[in-house]
Structure formats: structure tokens, C-alpha cells
Amino acid sequence: MTVAKIEKLDRLIEASVSAREAQTGSLLRQSYRRLKRSPMAVTGAVIVGLFVIVAVLGPWIAPYDPTAQTWGREVFLNRNIFPGPRPENWFGLDHLGRDMFSRMIVGARQTLLVGVVATLIGFVAGAVIGGVAAAAGTFGGRWGERVEAVLMRTVDVALAIPMLLLALSVAALLGPSLSTVMVAVGVAQIPIFARLLRGSMLAQAHSDYVLAAVSLGVPKGRIVVSHILPNSLGPVIVQATLVLATAIIEAAALSYLGLGNPDPGSAEWGTMLADAQRFLSGAPQLAIYPAVAIIVTALGFTLLGEAMRESLDPRLRRQE
């Protein structure tokens, strides 16, 4: 190839990249404006924002120590007598005489911690598996196709197992603890992220800018890391918002089944829900408060994630 042709090709690639960046910036601005006008996005953002604020500031805004059995003498378990909401205890008392409102506020932090860490575990591990599979299948030749086949068939086997059952199996192997819940829920999310990122990267691998980079002799590893991967993360990040809602529900389920934090004094919504099942006939509010908190929080992340996906995915955008 002559020098003149190489220079001409470079100018074409630069023009193509500039046009692509301008188009991407325009699409992002349009998506942001669409999000601001979406009632679903605004509702989800408000719920998530309030949940994060309460989780971060919980220990400072809780009126009482969530582990202190200050009003234990006012609770009579044998007669199912539990003081309900009153001025000094807005949500009443639990079965040990602890302030329910304080436990709900402090419990938000553990719920957020479990959800975020579990999502990060699934995101990172799934991104590594999906990224390696896509890169190997695209640029690895015959050996790369074999590596991709082994990785993705393993992912398919994991996808065939219900997520909660997979999380239960991991939690049962590791033993009950807060870290066990994070790892178990995170492992159950790995196949979702792996398959989504692989599909997104394979779609990007056939783009014009990738073909131009290959024709110029750019190293294949650099093409994957610097070009294909960054342009493939959008759908995966949106999916992480949706997965966070699922992680919160699954973490609460594991705690409810006794596989969460073994500390009986720990303020965590799933554990509180498990403790309340013995007193449903006399004090149903002990189960209602954490259940409603889990549902509303998961709903907030789901609404926000669905709105983001609708605004970013051209196949799901509403006609304006």
C-alpha cells in the first residue's frame, strides 16, 4: 500500500471516528432529556436517592441504638403483646423490645451493601468471562473458538439453574454469614453479565471502525480493550441497575432462610422478616415494615433501570 493511500485511509478513519463521537454525544444528550421527562425514571431516581441517603446516614439519623433492648419489659411474647406505633417509637417495638424505626433505618445500610457488592461481583466476573469469550471467538482463530465454546457452554449450564437455587447452593457450601450472601448472590448473576457483554462485543466486532483498525495493523488486544469493550459496556451498565434490584431481593431471601448474618442482633431487612414470622398473628407489622421496604427499594431500581434501557436502546425508544 502506498503512502498516499495510507494517509487517505487515516483521514477517512479520523472522519469516521469524529462522526461517531458526535453521534454518540448527541444520542446521550437525547437519552438524558428523555430520562428527565420520563415519570418512571423520575420515580425510580427519587426512590433510589432516598434509599441511598438513608443507608449512608442511617447510624446518625436513627433515634435509638438498633440493638438496645430498652423497652424489653413492655413486650410479652407468650401473649403476643407488642407495643405498636407511638410518639417515642414511630414503628413500635420488635419481639425483644428494640425500636423498629431505628432498626429499619440502620438495616438499609446492610441491604445496600449486600446489593452493591453482590452486583459488583457478578459484573466483574461476568465481564471477564464474556469479554474473554468474545475476544477469543473474534480474533483467536480455531483455538479461540474452542475457548469461547467452553466458556459459553459453562455459562449456559449456569443459566439453566434458577438464580435463587444457585445462590442457595453457594450459600449452603460457604456457611451463613454476610459475606456468604454477597458471594452467593454475586455468583448467581455472573451468567447474565457474561452473556450480555459477549453479545454486545460480538455486535461491535463487525463495526466499520473495527475493520479499519484491523486493516491498519492495530494489535488485536488493543482493538478489544480500547475500542470494542468501551463501546459494549452501555447495555451491561444498564443491566447492572436491574440486577441490583434482584440482588436485594435474593439477599433478603437468603437471610430469611437463615443463611445471612448469624448475629441475631444485626439490623438487616431479610433477617428482620425471618424473625417476624413467629409473631405474624399478634404483630403483623413486624413483617410488613421490612417487606414493604424491600419491595419499594427493588421497585425503585427496577423503574430506573427500565427507563435507562428504554432511553438508550434504539429498539425500545418511544416515538417522540
Side-chain angles (χ1 to χ4, degrees), residues 56-123:
V56 172
L57 302 179
W60 292 278
I61 62 178
Y64 304 105
D65 182 356
T67 62
Q69 303 177 18
T70 308
W71 297 274
R73 295 182 179 180
E74 301 181 29
V75 178
F76 300 92
L77 299 181
N78 56 345
R79 289 184 289 172
N80 267 348
I81 297 179
F82 301 86
R86 54 188 184 181
E88 62 269 30
N89 307 111
W90 290 1
F91 287 178
L93 305 177
D94 70 352
H95 62 290
L96 295 178
R98 298 171 295 193
D99 182 56
M100 277 293 294
F101 182 70
S102 300
R103 291 181 62 78
M104 288 295 300
I105 290 178
V106 176
R109 169 173 288 192
Q110 280 204 19
T111 302
L112 177 63
L113 178 65
V114 171
V116 170
V117 173
T119 302
L120 285 176
I121 292 174
F123 179 88

Side-chain angles (χ1 to χ4, degrees), residues 76 104 144 162 198 277 281:
F76 300 92
M104 288 295 300
R198 172 184 172 271
Q277 64 178 335
S281 60

